Amino acid sequence: MKISQLSDTKLLISLCSEDMRNFDLDFNKLSTSDPHSKKILSRLLTLACVKNSISTHNKSVILEAVPNDNGMLILMSLCEKVSKRKKYRIKRITQYPCYKFDNAETMLCAIEKLCDTDIFFYNNSAFFYKNRYYLVFDYPVVAKKARKILSEFAHSVKGTKPFVARLYECAKLISDGNAIVHIGSSL
């Protein structure tokens, strides 16, 4: 058996016919699914790596075996392991928190109380549609304290995507982006 280092990441192991008999290896039966072959190849690779001071930690090992006239040649190549990309699923909002006010006075009172809290509001819009005022949030969850305040002054409405799209298309937009802060700053 002869072990040659071709580069920092490649080793060549030459086995003669006597080595093949000693290890009880047959090129035709050589496979990683065969437990005996796998065990012998693993030991040969460990020996070759230790002898040449090559670390296989966090590296993938690629083996290529070729029959020789009096044995077999095994080429071992090391590659950096490619970490699997993390896949993130973006959960689509199916229903937006939406509140309907009967008149402007109740909406302004609610906004004034919301501005007095320590809750940070962002991405909400105010609309006027069919003699009613609407406050729509562009995120799925509103803080519990804010829900309590809004439930005192408004009725919760199912803010489905078509309903919100209809508001943006047909209703009069009072304030977009951050309606609570914009309206509340002038109260």
Side-chain angles (χ1 to χ4, degrees):
M1 178 170 75
K2 182 179 175 189
I3 300 171
S4 311
Q5 185 171 359
L6 303 176
S7 70
D8 292 343
T9 59
K10 294 189 186 237
L11 290 173
L12 182 66
I13 303 171
S14 303
L15 297 175
C16 64
S17 55
E18 186 179 321
D19 293 328
M20 298 284 284
R21 278 194 305 274
N22 290 341
F23 292 128
D24 193 26
L25 283 176
D26 183 13
F27 182 79
N28 296 329
K29 294 180 183 176
L30 193 64
S31 154
T32 55
S33 59
D34 177 35
H36 176 70
S37 299
K38 189 174 182 178
K39 180 179 168 184
I40 298 297
L41 287 173
S42 175
R43 287 183 181 173
L44 286 173
L45 294 176
T46 304
L47 175 70
C49 289
V50 168
K51 182 180 176 198
N52 292 301
S53 301
I54 294 177
S55 173
T56 59
H57 182 68
N58 285 338
K59 295 183 180 172
S60 298
V61 179
I62 300 169
L63 295 176
E64 299 176 59
V66 180
N68 198 354
D69 54 337
N70 62 346
M72 173 173 55
L73 297 173
I74 301 171
L75 177 65
M76 180 187 85
S77 304
L78 298 174
C79 306
E80 291 294 324
K81 273 190 181 174
V82 179
S83 61
K84 290 185 178 181
R85 276 183 46 200
K86 288 186 178 181
K87 294 181 182 179
Y88 297 98
R89 295 181 90 194
I90 299 173
K91 191 172 184 179
R92 302 284 183 224
I93 301 173
T94 57
Q95 197 165 347
Y96 299 89
C98 183
Y99 294 91
K100 177 175 74 171
F101 299 89
D102 292 329
N103 54 43
E105 183 182 353
T106 56
M107 184 173 97
L108 292 174
C109 288
I111 289 175
E112 186 177 30
K113 285 214 180 222
L114 289 171
C115 286
D116 291 341
T117 64
D118 58 347
I119 302 170
F120 177 70
F121 293 99
Y122 60 96
N123 292 343
N124 48 64
S125 303
F127 298 96
F128 180 69
Y129 182 62
K130 292 186 179 179
N131 295 326
R132 301 276 189 249
Y133 292 88
Y134 293 90
L135 188 60
V136 179
F137 295 87
D138 292 343
Y139 42 91
V141 180
V142 178
K144 188 176 183 180
K145 191 175 184 181
R147 282 192 311 239
K148 284 182 180 179
I149 293 170
L150 288 168
S151 67
E152 288 179 33
F153 296 96
H155 304 286
S156 181
V157 179
K158 281 193 174 184
T160 59
K161 283 186 178 186
F163 178 74
V164 173
R166 188 177 320 118
L167 285 177
Y168 274 102
E169 186 177 327
C170 302
K172 181 180 179 192
L173 181 65
I174 297 170
S175 179
D176 192 21
N178 202 348
I180 293 173
V181 174
H182 288 233
I183 296 170
S185 65
S186 61
L187 293 177

